[in-house]
Amino acid sequence: MVFWKRFFNPDSTSSPSLGPTGAEEFPTDDSDKGRIFFTTDRDIDLYELEELCDAVGWARRPIRKVKKAVECSFLVVTMWEVRGNRRRLVGFARATSDHAFNATVWDVVIHPSLQSKGLGKALMQYIIRKLRHYDISNITLFADPQVVDFYRRLGFVLDPEGIKGMFWYPD
Amino acid sequence: MVFWKRFFNPDSTSSPSLGPTGAEEFPTDDSDKGRIFFTTDRDIDLYELEELCDAVGWARRPIRKVKKAVECSFLVVTMWEVRGNRRRLVGFARATSDHAFNATVWDVVIHPSLQSKGLGKALMQYIIRKLRHYDISNITLFADPQVVDFYRRLGFVLDPEGIKGMFWYPD
């Protein structure tokens, strides 16, 4: 809880304009909205994450497995809307990796109330920057048809040199 | 070195017909060839792995990063040809994972001298079985065009429901 304690503590030495250590503010001029922060901190209420996934209509998954996946992902990025002393989880994404060459991004979600404001793009750019910091150069993902163009605009390439994404599911 | 010490030790309690603990023998009736074993043991000489990758014409990668990738992959599978008291690395594959939902298979390689004998299929079936043991149900990979049919025969599906594999590379 270090991250949020520091955030809400008026005696904090963190600069309010920069937000708490490790978090990054998304600049917004919409005064109706709170301030938006990204962080790689894994201090997540899994039920709040479930609510966020419910809001975009994803099928529910066992909390026990979500906990394991969050713990064992190489990178977890969350996006928070902060108003006064309240915070709300409004975005999430994570990546698996071999910590060296490859990463695969999973579970990219932005709350419907905040979509189409550039936050998805900012979240992905934040992830790419973090993965590049670890010198990972092959960043991959599996895109649903309706978001292929979104990822294309971020510089993701479809089937480069004929390389195809393939899936195996149990019977 | 526990695995190979046990394998080559004539006093070993391991059954020679089953091979050393944790390893699985690929049945072969080709008496010219040694015995073939799969294992998830990570006791790998990285220079031998480099030789194997050289043999199939892959671009060389920094050993330091290969070491990290082998250490940080969720699953590493090696295939060995054993003749008398000599062993030779003849196959390799690894998978990243969130240990819960998804795995992605990388770097599948079979030595050219042993290709077209069903070993690639057996290696992949071994990986799928190991991942299923951990209750991972979404097994993914990125297939070069010339191996798409190979993976299809193993039950991998191309672009299911229009889901597309996408890649981001640094400029």
Short mmCIF file of all heavy atoms in Angstrom, two decimals, chain A residues 65 72 94 96 98-100 102 106 132 135 137-145 156-158 160-161 163-164 166-170, chain B residues 65 72 94 96 98 100 102 106 132 135 137-145 154 156-158 160-161 163-164 166-170:
data_model
loop_
_atom_site.label_atom_id
_atom_site.label_comp_id
_atom_site.label_asym_id
_atom_site.label_seq_id
_atom_site.Cartn_x
_atom_site.Cartn_y
_atom_site.Cartn_z
N LYS A 65 -7.06 -17.90 -10.01
CA LYS A 65 -6.20 -17.95 -11.19
C LYS A 65 -5.79 -16.54 -11.62
O LYS A 65 -4.67 -16.33 -12.07
CB LYS A 65 -6.89 -18.69 -12.35
CG LYS A 65 -7.05 -20.18 -12.09
CD LYS A 65 -7.39 -20.96 -13.34
CE LYS A 65 -6.17 -21.23 -14.20
NZ LYS A 65 -6.43 -22.18 -15.30
N CYS A 72 2.43 -13.66 -11.60
CA CYS A 72 3.44 -14.30 -12.45
C CYS A 72 3.62 -13.62 -13.80
O CYS A 72 4.41 -14.09 -14.62
CB CYS A 72 3.11 -15.78 -12.63
SG CYS A 72 3.17 -16.68 -11.06
N ARG A 94 -1.38 -6.47 -18.87
CA ARG A 94 -0.22 -7.18 -18.33
C ARG A 94 0.52 -7.87 -19.46
O ARG A 94 -0.01 -8.02 -20.56
CB ARG A 94 -0.65 -8.18 -17.26
CG ARG A 94 -1.59 -9.26 -17.76
CD ARG A 94 -2.16 -10.09 -16.62
NE ARG A 94 -3.07 -11.09 -17.16
CZ ARG A 94 -2.71 -12.31 -17.55
NH1 ARG A 94 -1.44 -12.70 -17.41
NH2 ARG A 94 -3.56 -13.16 -18.06
N THR A 96 3.34 -11.21 -20.28
CA THR A 96 4.23 -12.32 -19.93
C THR A 96 5.53 -12.11 -20.71
O THR A 96 5.54 -11.42 -21.73
CB THR A 96 3.60 -13.67 -20.32
OG1 THR A 96 3.14 -13.60 -21.68
CG2 THR A 96 2.43 -14.01 -19.43
N ASP A 98 9.95 -13.69 -21.29
CA ASP A 98 11.12 -14.47 -20.89
C ASP A 98 12.19 -13.56 -20.29
O ASP A 98 13.31 -13.98 -20.07
CB ASP A 98 11.68 -15.25 -22.10
CG ASP A 98 11.99 -14.34 -23.27
OD1 ASP A 98 12.14 -13.13 -23.07
OD2 ASP A 98 12.09 -14.85 -24.40
N HIS A 99 11.85 -12.30 -20.05
CA HIS A 99 12.73 -11.29 -19.44
C HIS A 99 13.94 -10.97 -20.33
O HIS A 99 14.90 -10.37 -19.85
CB HIS A 99 13.24 -11.72 -18.05
CG HIS A 99 12.16 -12.05 -17.06
ND1 HIS A 99 12.36 -11.93 -15.70
CD2 HIS A 99 10.88 -12.48 -17.22
CE1 HIS A 99 11.24 -12.30 -15.08
NE2 HIS A 99 10.33 -12.63 -15.98
N ALA A 100 13.92 -11.39 -21.58
CA ALA A 100 15.11 -11.21 -22.41
C ALA A 100 14.77 -10.79 -23.85
O ALA A 100 15.24 -9.75 -24.32
CB ALA A 100 15.94 -12.49 -22.43
N ASN A 102 11.34 -11.74 -25.68
CA ASN A 102 9.93 -11.66 -26.08
C ASN A 102 9.02 -11.25 -24.93
O ASN A 102 9.24 -11.67 -23.79
CB ASN A 102 9.43 -13.04 -26.54
CG ASN A 102 10.35 -13.67 -27.57
OD1 ASN A 102 10.64 -13.07 -28.59
ND2 ASN A 102 10.85 -14.88 -27.29
N TRP A 106 -1.36 -9.11 -22.65
CA TRP A 106 -2.67 -9.74 -22.45
C TRP A 106 -3.59 -8.80 -21.68
O TRP A 106 -3.12 -7.94 -20.93
CB TRP A 106 -2.53 -11.02 -21.59
CG TRP A 106 -1.57 -12.03 -22.09
CD1 TRP A 106 -0.27 -12.18 -21.67
CD2 TRP A 106 -1.79 -13.05 -23.07
NE1 TRP A 106 0.32 -13.24 -22.35
CE2 TRP A 106 -0.60 -13.79 -23.21
CE3 TRP A 106 -2.89 -13.41 -23.85
CZ2 TRP A 106 -0.47 -14.87 -24.10
CZ3 TRP A 106 -2.76 -14.48 -24.73
CH2 TRP A 106 -1.56 -15.20 -24.84
N ARG A 132 10.66 -1.91 -23.25
CA ARG A 132 11.91 -1.49 -23.90
C ARG A 132 12.98 -1.18 -22.86
O ARG A 132 14.16 -1.40 -23.10
CB ARG A 132 11.66 -0.25 -24.78
CG ARG A 132 10.84 -0.53 -26.01
CD ARG A 132 11.56 -1.46 -26.97
NE ARG A 132 12.81 -0.90 -27.44
CZ ARG A 132 13.94 -1.59 -27.56
NH1 ARG A 132 13.99 -2.87 -27.27
NH2 ARG A 132 15.04 -0.99 -27.98
N ASP A 135 14.98 -3.97 -22.35
CA ASP A 135 15.65 -4.40 -23.58
C ASP A 135 14.90 -5.56 -24.28
O ASP A 135 15.51 -6.37 -24.97
CB ASP A 135 17.10 -4.80 -23.27
CG ASP A 135 17.94 -4.83 -24.54
OD1 ASP A 135 17.59 -4.13 -25.50
OD2 ASP A 135 18.94 -5.57 -24.57
N SER A 137 12.70 -6.64 -27.18
CA SER A 137 12.48 -5.99 -28.48
C SER A 137 11.35 -6.63 -29.28
O SER A 137 10.87 -6.04 -30.24
CB SER A 137 13.76 -5.99 -29.30
OG SER A 137 14.29 -7.29 -29.36
N ASN A 138 10.94 -7.81 -28.91
CA ASN A 138 9.86 -8.48 -29.64
C ASN A 138 8.60 -8.47 -28.77
O ASN A 138 8.43 -9.33 -27.91
CB ASN A 138 10.29 -9.92 -29.97
CG ASN A 138 9.28 -10.63 -30.85
OD1 ASN A 138 8.62 -10.01 -31.67
ND2 ASN A 138 9.15 -11.93 -30.66
N ILE A 139 7.78 -7.45 -28.99
CA ILE A 139 6.55 -7.29 -28.20
C ILE A 139 5.39 -7.80 -29.06
O ILE A 139 5.18 -7.32 -30.17
CB ILE A 139 6.34 -5.83 -27.77
CG1 ILE A 139 7.57 -5.32 -27.00
CG2 ILE A 139 5.06 -5.68 -26.94
CD1 ILE A 139 7.52 -3.84 -26.65
N THR A 140 4.68 -8.78 -28.53
CA THR A 140 3.63 -9.42 -29.32
C THR A 140 2.29 -9.33 -28.59
O THR A 140 2.24 -9.05 -27.38
CB THR A 140 3.97 -10.91 -29.53
OG1 THR A 140 4.04 -11.55 -28.25
CG2 THR A 140 5.30 -11.09 -30.24
N LEU A 141 1.24 -9.57 -29.34
CA LEU A 141 -0.09 -9.68 -28.72
C LEU A 141 -1.02 -10.38 -29.71
O LEU A 141 -0.69 -10.57 -30.88
CB LEU A 141 -0.63 -8.31 -28.31
CG LEU A 141 -0.66 -7.17 -29.35
CD1 LEU A 141 -1.85 -7.32 -30.27
CD2 LEU A 141 -0.74 -5.83 -28.63
N PHE A 142 -2.16 -10.76 -29.21
CA PHE A 142 -3.20 -11.35 -30.05
C PHE A 142 -4.40 -10.41 -30.01
O PHE A 142 -4.98 -10.19 -28.94
CB PHE A 142 -3.57 -12.75 -29.52
CG PHE A 142 -2.42 -13.72 -29.60
CD1 PHE A 142 -1.59 -13.94 -28.51
CD2 PHE A 142 -2.14 -14.39 -30.79
CE1 PHE A 142 -0.53 -14.83 -28.59
CE2 PHE A 142 -1.08 -15.27 -30.88
CZ PHE A 142 -0.26 -15.50 -29.77
N ALA A 143 -4.70 -9.83 -31.17
CA ALA A 143 -5.71 -8.75 -31.23
C ALA A 143 -7.03 -9.27 -31.77
O ALA A 143 -7.07 -9.90 -32.83
CB ALA A 143 -5.19 -7.62 -32.11
N ASP A 144 -8.11 -8.94 -31.06
CA ASP A 144 -9.45 -9.19 -31.60
C ASP A 144 -9.63 -8.34 -32.86
O ASP A 144 -9.02 -7.26 -32.96
CB ASP A 144 -10.51 -8.81 -30.56
CG ASP A 144 -10.62 -9.84 -29.45
OD1 ASP A 144 -10.46 -11.04 -29.74
OD2 ASP A 144 -10.85 -9.45 -28.28
N PRO A 145 -10.48 -8.81 -33.80
CA PRO A 145 -10.59 -8.09 -35.08
C PRO A 145 -10.87 -6.59 -34.94
O PRO A 145 -10.31 -5.78 -35.66
CB PRO A 145 -11.77 -8.79 -35.78
CG PRO A 145 -11.90 -10.12 -35.12
CD PRO A 145 -11.36 -10.00 -33.74
N PHE A 156 2.15 -1.74 -34.20
CA PHE A 156 2.13 -3.21 -34.25
C PHE A 156 1.86 -3.65 -35.70
O PHE A 156 1.09 -3.01 -36.42
CB PHE A 156 1.06 -3.79 -33.32
CG PHE A 156 1.47 -3.81 -31.88
CD1 PHE A 156 1.34 -2.68 -31.09
CD2 PHE A 156 2.02 -4.96 -31.31
CE1 PHE A 156 1.74 -2.69 -29.75
CE2 PHE A 156 2.42 -4.97 -29.99
CZ PHE A 156 2.28 -3.84 -29.21
N VAL A 157 2.54 -4.73 -36.08
CA VAL A 157 2.46 -5.22 -37.45
C VAL A 157 1.73 -6.56 -37.45
O VAL A 157 1.95 -7.40 -36.57
CB VAL A 157 3.89 -5.41 -38.03
CG1 VAL A 157 3.83 -5.90 -39.47
CG2 VAL A 157 4.68 -4.11 -37.92
N LEU A 158 0.86 -6.73 -38.46
CA LEU A 158 0.07 -7.96 -38.60
C LEU A 158 0.88 -8.98 -39.39
O LEU A 158 1.40 -8.65 -40.47
CB LEU A 158 -1.20 -7.60 -39.36
CG LEU A 158 -2.41 -8.48 -39.25
CD1 LEU A 158 -3.00 -8.41 -37.86
CD2 LEU A 158 -3.45 -8.03 -40.27
N PRO A 160 3.90 -10.35 -39.69
CA PRO A 160 5.10 -9.93 -40.44
C PRO A 160 5.78 -11.14 -41.07
O PRO A 160 5.94 -12.18 -40.42
CB PRO A 160 5.98 -9.29 -39.36
CG PRO A 160 5.52 -9.91 -38.08
CD PRO A 160 4.06 -10.19 -38.26
N GLU A 161 6.17 -11.00 -42.33
CA GLU A 161 6.80 -12.09 -43.09
C GLU A 161 5.96 -13.38 -43.02
O GLU A 161 6.51 -14.48 -43.01
CB GLU A 161 8.22 -12.35 -42.58
CG GLU A 161 9.12 -11.12 -42.73
CD GLU A 161 10.47 -11.29 -42.06
OE1 GLU A 161 11.07 -12.37 -42.19
OE2 GLU A 161 10.92 -10.33 -41.41
N ILE A 163 4.32 -14.62 -40.59
CA ILE A 163 4.25 -15.29 -39.28
C ILE A 163 2.82 -15.19 -38.75
O ILE A 163 2.23 -14.11 -38.72
CB ILE A 163 5.26 -14.66 -38.28
CG1 ILE A 163 6.69 -14.84 -38.79
CG2 ILE A 163 5.10 -15.27 -36.89
CD1 ILE A 163 7.73 -14.06 -38.00
N LYS A 164 2.29 -16.32 -38.34
CA LYS A 164 0.87 -16.38 -37.96
C LYS A 164 0.70 -16.73 -36.48
O LYS A 164 1.35 -17.66 -35.98
CB LYS A 164 0.18 -17.49 -38.78
CG LYS A 164 0.10 -17.20 -40.27
CD LYS A 164 -0.98 -16.17 -40.53
CE LYS A 164 -1.20 -15.96 -42.03
NZ LYS A 164 -2.18 -14.89 -42.27
N MET A 166 -1.12 -18.59 -33.65
CA MET A 166 -1.91 -19.83 -33.59
C MET A 166 -2.24 -20.17 -32.14
O MET A 166 -1.48 -19.86 -31.22
CB MET A 166 -1.14 -20.98 -34.25
CG MET A 166 -0.85 -20.74 -35.72
SD MET A 166 -0.14 -22.18 -36.58
CE MET A 166 -1.61 -23.12 -36.98
N PHE A 167 -3.38 -20.84 -31.97
CA PHE A 167 -3.91 -21.15 -30.64
C PHE A 167 -4.23 -22.63 -30.52
O PHE A 167 -4.79 -23.21 -31.45
CB PHE A 167 -5.23 -20.40 -30.41
CG PHE A 167 -5.10 -18.94 -30.20
CD1 PHE A 167 -4.76 -18.10 -31.25
CD2 PHE A 167 -5.32 -18.39 -28.96
CE1 PHE A 167 -4.65 -16.74 -31.05
CE2 PHE A 167 -5.22 -17.04 -28.75
CZ PHE A 167 -4.88 -16.20 -29.81
N TRP A 168 -3.93 -23.17 -29.37
CA TRP A 168 -4.35 -24.53 -29.05
C TRP A 168 -5.24 -24.46 -27.81
O TRP A 168 -4.87 -23.86 -26.80
CB TRP A 168 -3.13 -25.41 -28.76
CG TRP A 168 -3.45 -26.86 -28.55
CD1 TRP A 168 -3.39 -27.85 -29.49
CD2 TRP A 168 -3.86 -27.50 -27.33
NE1 TRP A 168 -3.74 -29.05 -28.94
CE2 TRP A 168 -4.04 -28.87 -27.61
CE3 TRP A 168 -4.11 -27.04 -26.05
CZ2 TRP A 168 -4.44 -29.78 -26.64
CZ3 TRP A 168 -4.53 -27.95 -25.08
CH2 TRP A 168 -4.68 -29.30 -25.39
N TYR A 169 -6.43 -25.04 -27.93
CA TYR A 169 -7.35 -25.11 -26.79
C TYR A 169 -7.63 -26.57 -26.47
O TYR A 169 -7.66 -27.40 -27.38
CB TYR A 169 -8.69 -24.46 -27.13
CG TYR A 169 -8.62 -23.06 -27.67
CD1 TYR A 169 -8.91 -22.79 -29.00
CD2 TYR A 169 -8.27 -21.99 -26.85
CE1 TYR A 169 -8.88 -21.50 -29.50
CE2 TYR A 169 -8.24 -20.70 -27.35
CZ TYR A 169 -8.53 -20.46 -28.68
OH TYR A 169 -8.50 -19.20 -29.17
N PRO A 170 -7.90 -26.88 -25.21
CA PRO A 170 -8.29 -28.27 -24.89
C PRO A 170 -9.64 -28.60 -25.51
O PRO A 170 -10.46 -27.71 -25.73
CB PRO A 170 -8.37 -28.29 -23.36
CG PRO A 170 -8.33 -26.88 -22.90
CD PRO A 170 -7.91 -26.01 -24.03
N LYS B 65 21.75 -13.21 -22.84
CA LYS B 65 20.30 -13.07 -22.94
C LYS B 65 19.63 -14.45 -23.08
O LYS B 65 18.54 -14.66 -22.57
CB LYS B 65 19.93 -12.17 -24.13
CG LYS B 65 20.29 -10.71 -23.89
CD LYS B 65 19.62 -9.76 -24.86
CE LYS B 65 18.18 -9.46 -24.50
NZ LYS B 65 17.59 -8.39 -25.31
N CYS B 72 14.10 -17.75 -17.23
CA CYS B 72 12.84 -17.06 -16.94
C CYS B 72 11.66 -17.59 -17.75
O CYS B 72 10.55 -17.06 -17.64
CB CYS B 72 13.00 -15.56 -17.14
SG CYS B 72 14.19 -14.85 -15.98
N ARG B 94 10.72 -23.83 -25.66
CA ARG B 94 10.41 -23.25 -24.34
C ARG B 94 9.11 -22.48 -24.43
O ARG B 94 8.63 -22.17 -25.53
CB ARG B 94 11.57 -22.36 -23.86
CG ARG B 94 11.83 -21.18 -24.75
CD ARG B 94 13.11 -20.45 -24.35
NE ARG B 94 13.36 -19.34 -25.25
CZ ARG B 94 12.89 -18.11 -25.09
NH1 ARG B 94 12.16 -17.82 -24.02
NH2 ARG B 94 13.13 -17.17 -25.97
N THR B 96 6.83 -19.21 -22.45
CA THR B 96 6.56 -18.20 -21.42
C THR B 96 5.12 -18.39 -20.97
O THR B 96 4.30 -18.96 -21.69
CB THR B 96 6.75 -16.78 -21.98
OG1 THR B 96 6.03 -16.67 -23.21
CG2 THR B 96 8.22 -16.50 -22.24
N ASP B 98 1.88 -17.00 -17.83
CA ASP B 98 1.45 -16.33 -16.59
C ASP B 98 1.14 -17.37 -15.50
O ASP B 98 0.60 -17.03 -14.47
CB ASP B 98 0.23 -15.45 -16.86
CG ASP B 98 -0.92 -16.21 -17.49
OD1 ASP B 98 -0.96 -17.46 -17.39
OD2 ASP B 98 -1.81 -15.57 -18.08
N ALA B 100 -1.06 -19.45 -15.29
CA ALA B 100 -2.48 -19.60 -14.96
C ALA B 100 -3.37 -19.83 -16.19
O ALA B 100 -4.07 -20.84 -16.27
CB ALA B 100 -2.97 -18.37 -14.20
N ASN B 102 -2.45 -18.47 -19.84
CA ASN B 102 -1.84 -18.43 -21.17
C ASN B 102 -0.40 -18.92 -21.17
O ASN B 102 0.34 -18.67 -20.22
CB ASN B 102 -1.80 -16.98 -21.69
CG ASN B 102 -3.14 -16.29 -21.58
OD1 ASN B 102 -4.12 -16.79 -22.11
ND2 ASN B 102 -3.19 -15.17 -20.88
N TRP B 106 8.01 -20.75 -27.75
CA TRP B 106 9.06 -20.07 -28.54
C TRP B 106 10.18 -21.06 -28.85
O TRP B 106 10.39 -22.03 -28.12
CB TRP B 106 9.67 -18.92 -27.73
CG TRP B 106 8.73 -17.91 -27.20
CD1 TRP B 106 8.19 -17.88 -25.95
CD2 TRP B 106 8.17 -16.77 -27.90
NE1 TRP B 106 7.36 -16.79 -25.81
CE2 TRP B 106 7.32 -16.09 -26.99
CE3 TRP B 106 8.32 -16.26 -29.20
CZ2 TRP B 106 6.63 -14.94 -27.33
CZ3 TRP B 106 7.63 -15.11 -29.53
CH2 TRP B 106 6.79 -14.46 -28.61
N ARG B 132 -0.71 -28.48 -19.95
CA ARG B 132 -2.03 -28.89 -19.48
C ARG B 132 -1.97 -29.38 -18.03
O ARG B 132 -2.93 -29.20 -17.28
CB ARG B 132 -2.61 -30.00 -20.38
CG ARG B 132 -2.99 -29.52 -21.76
CD ARG B 132 -4.13 -28.51 -21.70
NE ARG B 132 -5.33 -29.08 -21.12
CZ ARG B 132 -6.13 -28.46 -20.26
NH1 ARG B 132 -5.85 -27.23 -19.87
NH2 ARG B 132 -7.19 -29.04 -19.78
N ASP B 135 -2.75 -26.78 -15.87
CA ASP B 135 -4.09 -26.24 -16.10
C ASP B 135 -4.07 -24.99 -16.98
O ASP B 135 -4.94 -24.12 -16.86
CB ASP B 135 -4.78 -25.96 -14.76
CG ASP B 135 -6.29 -25.83 -14.93
OD1 ASP B 135 -6.82 -26.39 -15.90
OD2 ASP B 135 -6.93 -25.13 -14.10
N SER B 137 -4.76 -23.44 -20.41
CA SER B 137 -5.62 -23.92 -21.49
C SER B 137 -5.45 -23.14 -22.78
O SER B 137 -5.89 -23.59 -23.83
CB SER B 137 -7.08 -23.91 -21.04
OG SER B 137 -7.41 -22.65 -20.53
N ASN B 138 -4.85 -21.97 -22.70
CA ASN B 138 -4.66 -21.16 -23.91
C ASN B 138 -3.18 -21.22 -24.30
O ASN B 138 -2.36 -20.47 -23.78
CB ASN B 138 -5.10 -19.72 -23.63
CG ASN B 138 -5.07 -18.86 -24.86
OD1 ASN B 138 -5.32 -19.35 -25.97
ND2 ASN B 138 -4.74 -17.59 -24.70
N ILE B 139 -2.85 -22.16 -25.19
CA ILE B 139 -1.46 -22.33 -25.61
C ILE B 139 -1.31 -21.68 -26.98
O ILE B 139 -2.04 -22.01 -27.92
CB ILE B 139 -1.08 -23.83 -25.67
CG1 ILE B 139 -1.34 -24.48 -24.30
CG2 ILE B 139 0.38 -23.99 -26.10
CD1 ILE B 139 -1.14 -25.99 -24.28
N THR B 140 -0.42 -20.72 -27.07
CA THR B 140 -0.28 -19.92 -28.29
C THR B 140 1.14 -20.03 -28.83
O THR B 140 2.06 -20.46 -28.12
CB THR B 140 -0.58 -18.44 -27.99
OG1 THR B 140 0.37 -17.98 -27.03
CG2 THR B 140 -1.97 -18.26 -27.42
N LEU B 141 1.29 -19.64 -30.08
CA LEU B 141 2.64 -19.53 -30.67
C LEU B 141 2.54 -18.68 -31.93
O LEU B 141 1.44 -18.38 -32.43
CB LEU B 141 3.22 -20.92 -30.98
CG LEU B 141 2.41 -21.92 -31.80
CD1 LEU B 141 2.50 -21.61 -33.30
CD2 LEU B 141 2.91 -23.34 -31.54
N PHE B 142 3.69 -18.30 -32.42
CA PHE B 142 3.77 -17.55 -33.67
C PHE B 142 4.53 -18.43 -34.66
O PHE B 142 5.71 -18.73 -34.44
CB PHE B 142 4.47 -16.21 -33.44
CG PHE B 142 3.70 -15.30 -32.51
CD1 PHE B 142 3.99 -15.25 -31.16
CD2 PHE B 142 2.65 -14.51 -32.99
CE1 PHE B 142 3.27 -14.43 -30.30
CE2 PHE B 142 1.93 -13.70 -32.14
CZ PHE B 142 2.24 -13.65 -30.79
N ALA B 143 3.81 -18.85 -35.72
CA ALA B 143 4.37 -19.86 -36.63
C ALA B 143 4.87 -19.23 -37.92
O ALA B 143 4.13 -18.45 -38.55
CB ALA B 143 3.31 -20.90 -36.94
N ASP B 144 6.09 -19.56 -38.31
CA ASP B 144 6.57 -19.18 -39.64
C ASP B 144 5.69 -19.87 -40.68
O ASP B 144 5.15 -20.96 -40.41
CB ASP B 144 8.04 -19.63 -39.81
CG ASP B 144 9.00 -18.73 -39.04
OD1 ASP B 144 8.73 -17.51 -38.96
OD2 ASP B 144 10.01 -19.24 -38.51
N PRO B 145 5.57 -19.26 -41.88
CA PRO B 145 4.63 -19.81 -42.88
C PRO B 145 4.86 -21.30 -43.17
O PRO B 145 3.90 -22.07 -43.31
CB PRO B 145 4.93 -18.97 -44.13
CG PRO B 145 5.58 -17.72 -43.64
CD PRO B 145 6.26 -18.05 -42.36
N LEU B 154 -1.21 -30.54 -35.30
CA LEU B 154 -1.14 -30.78 -33.86
C LEU B 154 -2.36 -30.20 -33.12
O LEU B 154 -2.44 -30.28 -31.90
CB LEU B 154 0.13 -30.14 -33.29
CG LEU B 154 1.41 -30.95 -33.50
CD1 LEU B 154 2.63 -30.05 -33.40
CD2 LEU B 154 1.49 -32.07 -32.47
N PHE B 156 -3.38 -26.89 -33.46
CA PHE B 156 -3.34 -25.41 -33.33
C PHE B 156 -4.24 -24.80 -34.41
O PHE B 156 -4.30 -25.29 -35.54
CB PHE B 156 -1.91 -24.89 -33.46
CG PHE B 156 -1.10 -25.06 -32.22
CD1 PHE B 156 -0.47 -26.28 -31.94
CD2 PHE B 156 -0.96 -24.03 -31.30
CE1 PHE B 156 0.27 -26.46 -30.78
CE2 PHE B 156 -0.21 -24.19 -30.15
CZ PHE B 156 0.41 -25.41 -29.88
N VAL B 157 -4.91 -23.72 -34.03
CA VAL B 157 -5.87 -23.06 -34.92
C VAL B 157 -5.31 -21.70 -35.31
O VAL B 157 -4.74 -20.98 -34.48
CB VAL B 157 -7.23 -22.89 -34.20
CG1 VAL B 157 -8.25 -22.24 -35.11
CG2 VAL B 157 -7.74 -24.23 -33.69
N LEU B 158 -5.49 -21.36 -36.58
CA LEU B 158 -5.02 -20.09 -37.12
C LEU B 158 -6.09 -19.02 -36.91
O LEU B 158 -7.25 -19.25 -37.27
CB LEU B 158 -4.77 -20.29 -38.62
CG LEU B 158 -3.83 -19.37 -39.35
CD1 LEU B 158 -2.41 -19.59 -38.88
CD2 LEU B 158 -3.92 -19.63 -40.85
N PRO B 160 -8.21 -17.80 -34.68
CA PRO B 160 -9.57 -18.19 -34.31
C PRO B 160 -10.43 -16.95 -34.05
O PRO B 160 -9.99 -16.01 -33.39
CB PRO B 160 -9.38 -18.99 -33.01
CG PRO B 160 -8.07 -18.53 -32.47
CD PRO B 160 -7.22 -18.14 -33.65
N GLU B 161 -11.64 -16.98 -34.58
CA GLU B 161 -12.57 -15.83 -34.46
C GLU B 161 -11.92 -14.52 -34.90
O GLU B 161 -12.21 -13.45 -34.36
CB GLU B 161 -13.11 -15.71 -33.03
CG GLU B 161 -13.89 -16.94 -32.60
CD GLU B 161 -14.26 -16.93 -31.12
OE1 GLU B 161 -14.64 -15.87 -30.61
OE2 GLU B 161 -14.14 -17.99 -30.48
N ILE B 163 -8.93 -13.50 -34.45
CA ILE B 163 -7.87 -12.97 -33.56
C ILE B 163 -6.54 -13.06 -34.31
O ILE B 163 -6.18 -14.10 -34.85
CB ILE B 163 -7.80 -13.76 -32.24
CG1 ILE B 163 -9.12 -13.61 -31.48
CG2 ILE B 163 -6.63 -13.30 -31.39
CD1 ILE B 163 -9.24 -14.53 -30.27
N LYS B 164 -5.82 -11.95 -34.32
CA LYS B 164 -4.61 -11.86 -35.13
C LYS B 164 -3.36 -11.68 -34.27
O LYS B 164 -3.36 -10.87 -33.33
CB LYS B 164 -4.70 -10.63 -36.05
CG LYS B 164 -5.79 -10.74 -37.10
CD LYS B 164 -5.35 -11.66 -38.23
CE LYS B 164 -6.33 -11.66 -39.38
NZ LYS B 164 -5.93 -12.62 -40.41
N MET B 166 0.08 -10.07 -33.57
CA MET B 166 0.70 -8.80 -33.99
C MET B 166 2.04 -8.62 -33.27
O MET B 166 2.22 -9.09 -32.15
CB MET B 166 -0.23 -7.62 -33.71
CG MET B 166 -1.55 -7.71 -34.46
SD MET B 166 -2.58 -6.21 -34.33
CE MET B 166 -1.85 -5.16 -35.60
N PHE B 167 2.94 -7.91 -33.93
CA PHE B 167 4.31 -7.74 -33.43
C PHE B 167 4.69 -6.26 -33.42
O PHE B 167 4.39 -5.54 -34.38
CB PHE B 167 5.30 -8.42 -34.38
CG PHE B 167 5.29 -9.91 -34.31
CD1 PHE B 167 4.24 -10.63 -34.82
CD2 PHE B 167 6.36 -10.59 -33.74
CE1 PHE B 167 4.22 -12.03 -34.76
CE2 PHE B 167 6.35 -11.96 -33.68
CZ PHE B 167 5.29 -12.69 -34.20
N TRP B 168 5.38 -5.89 -32.39
CA TRP B 168 5.97 -4.54 -32.34
C TRP B 168 7.49 -4.71 -32.22
O TRP B 168 7.98 -5.45 -31.36
CB TRP B 168 5.43 -3.79 -31.12
CG TRP B 168 5.88 -2.36 -31.05
CD1 TRP B 168 5.18 -1.26 -31.48
CD2 TRP B 168 7.10 -1.84 -30.50
NE1 TRP B 168 5.89 -0.11 -31.25
CE2 TRP B 168 7.08 -0.44 -30.64
CE3 TRP B 168 8.21 -2.43 -29.91
CZ2 TRP B 168 8.12 0.37 -30.22
CZ3 TRP B 168 9.25 -1.63 -29.49
CH2 TRP B 168 9.21 -0.24 -29.64
N TYR B 169 8.20 -4.06 -33.10
CA TYR B 169 9.68 -4.08 -33.06
C TYR B 169 10.18 -2.65 -32.90
O TYR B 169 9.55 -1.72 -33.40
CB TYR B 169 10.25 -4.61 -34.38
CG TYR B 169 9.72 -5.93 -34.82
CD1 TYR B 169 8.90 -6.03 -35.95
CD2 TYR B 169 10.06 -7.11 -34.18
CE1 TYR B 169 8.43 -7.25 -36.40
CE2 TYR B 169 9.59 -8.33 -34.62
CZ TYR B 169 8.78 -8.40 -35.72
OH TYR B 169 8.31 -9.61 -36.17
N PRO B 170 11.32 -2.49 -32.25
CA PRO B 170 11.89 -1.13 -32.18
C PRO B 170 12.32 -0.66 -33.56
O PRO B 170 12.63 -1.49 -34.42
CB PRO B 170 13.10 -1.27 -31.25
CG PRO B 170 13.34 -2.72 -31.09
CD PRO B 170 12.16 -3.49 -31.59
#
